């Protein structure tokens, strides 16, 4: 089959965790994937696995991969868009979720924009948007803050500052944590936030163990919930 | 065909503008749709049209619709989740994009959370996330601010405050405008922001006229771009 697709840098989201691709990716993404030979990926091994999963007929050995992660030197990235500049469509594959949101992909996208190359983002699961939808919180004004500081004092101050923004700016505050620290973060939130502040904990989104619950801090304190090491996203609002 | 789906409030994104459902919705959403008889929608007419488009075999006359928009009184909403409480799965359909992000759906989701009913968000196109992915801007720290004020002084002040947050907090600032005011907003941004600040204009996302371009304010000034009345989203970053 001959795939003629527009020459552009395509941004491919990847399923969150162990779930079917049909659960969270439009079939259009797969059509575009089949027309691309050059991929920028965070990890070649998991990228190959994802490509095999979305399309078992994919001839993976015919593809070129360019690795982009925290070990990639800035000077190496400058060549990464060469195939696209030569007229070949390219793809950026995330490890999980949407590329260039919370991964190194943004540096390459920024370079593509500077070179005035066409960038086409594709639809897929964003744990930020999915958790916000299901939280019941303000979706017309929200901020994603990434990870909070690990150091105790800085962390408590960060939580207080975020809660302050909730009340002063009516802005939903969203943040994440490394899974093994989920319960520590939960304890810090319950210790620091007002009893009436609402906290949404969204775990294992789009996967078998999905659970998205909004309670007041007062209610969470009573329930003594243990989250465990699931991938998790936290939201606070009044 | 008998559809047995989990009893929950499902949040259904809708295509942005006139595009194929396969372009931006996973096939899973359609499977779940087929198992639901009770829908909360912003506009019944467009909801019926969307349902017909996703599945021409859908028996639309067998469905119940509950309208939720700016004309819906708060006291009317309190009954909306009755079918779910009685054990029937329900759906919230957005007009375009993700429900409960920039539409009235959040009030019903919040009520579902208070009643401890299960809420399941489904994947679909978010113009906020798609434009952020393609902008090349910071995706680890960003805020969506909805609409800026219309009044001239308040509007310029809002732009200055957002630009200030870009530099002080390394936070990408995202906002929208009513399409007929796009070029007015563009002019206000170019007049107000620093020459080195980068502005991304993302128009007609996932549709035929899609264009997502990041330039410095200085470059935009030279190019004298006319956006026109396309649905558009604006992002600034340093």
């Amino acid at each position: 089959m001959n795939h003629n697709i527009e020459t552009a840098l395509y941004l491919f989201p990847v399923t969150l965790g162990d779930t079917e691709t049909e659960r969270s990716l439009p079939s259009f993404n797969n059509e575009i994937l089949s027309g691309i030979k050059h991929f920028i990926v965070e990890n070649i091994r998991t990228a190959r696995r994802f490509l095999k999963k979305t399309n078992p007929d994919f001839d993976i050995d015919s593809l070129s991969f360019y690795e982009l992660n925290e070990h990639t030197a800035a000077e190496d990235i400058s060549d990464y868009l060469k195939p696209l500049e030569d007229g070949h469509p390219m793809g950026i594959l995330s490890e999980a979720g949407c590329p260039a949101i919370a991964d190194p992909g943004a540096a390459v996208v920024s370079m593509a924009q500077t070179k005035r190359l066409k960038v086409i983002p594709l639809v897929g699961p964003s744990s930020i948007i999915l958790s916000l939808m299901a939280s019941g919180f303000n979706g017309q004004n929200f901020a994603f803050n990434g990870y909070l500081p690990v150091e105790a004092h800085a962390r408590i101050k960060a939580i207080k500052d975020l809660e302050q923004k909730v009340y002063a700016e009516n802005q939903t505050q969203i943040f994440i944590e490394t899974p093994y620290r989920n319960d520590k973060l939960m304890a810090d939130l319950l210790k620091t936030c007002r009893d009436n502040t609402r906290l949404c904990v969204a775990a294992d989104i789009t996967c078998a163990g999905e659970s998205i619950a909004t309670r007041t801090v007062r209610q969470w304190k009573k329930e003594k919930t243990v989250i465990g090491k699931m991938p998790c996203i936290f939201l606070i609002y009044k």
Side-chain angles (χ1 to χ4, degrees), chain A residues 163-182:
Chain A
E163 190 182 42
Q164 166 66 19
K165 281 190 180 175
V166 162
Y167 287 93
E169 305 177 19
N170 295 322
Q171 191 177 59
T172 302
Q173 300 298 329
I174 311 174
F175 40 96
I176 47 178
E177 186 50 283
T178 312
Y180 76 87
R181 270 198 289 258
N182 281 338

Side-chain angles (χ1 to χ4, degrees), chain A residues 62-95:
Chain A
S62 72
L63 308 177
S64 302
F65 292 100
Y66 309 81
E67 214 163 32
L68 173 67
N69 52 44
E70 70 274 29
H71 308 298
T72 313
E75 60 267 27
D76 291 338
I77 298 177
S78 62
D79 285 341
Y80 276 20
L81 295 174
K82 193 76 175 49
L84 180 57
E85 294 177 271
D86 291 343
H88 305 288
M90 293 188 76
I92 298 185
L93 276 179
S94 155
E95 275 292 279

Side-chain angles (χ1 to χ4, degrees), chain A residues 154-166 173:
Chain A
R155 189 177 174 94
I156 298 300
K157 180 173 185 315
I159 293 171
K160 283 186 178 161
D161 288 349
L162 293 178
E163 190 182 42
Q164 166 66 19
K165 281 190 180 175
V166 162
Q173 300 298 329

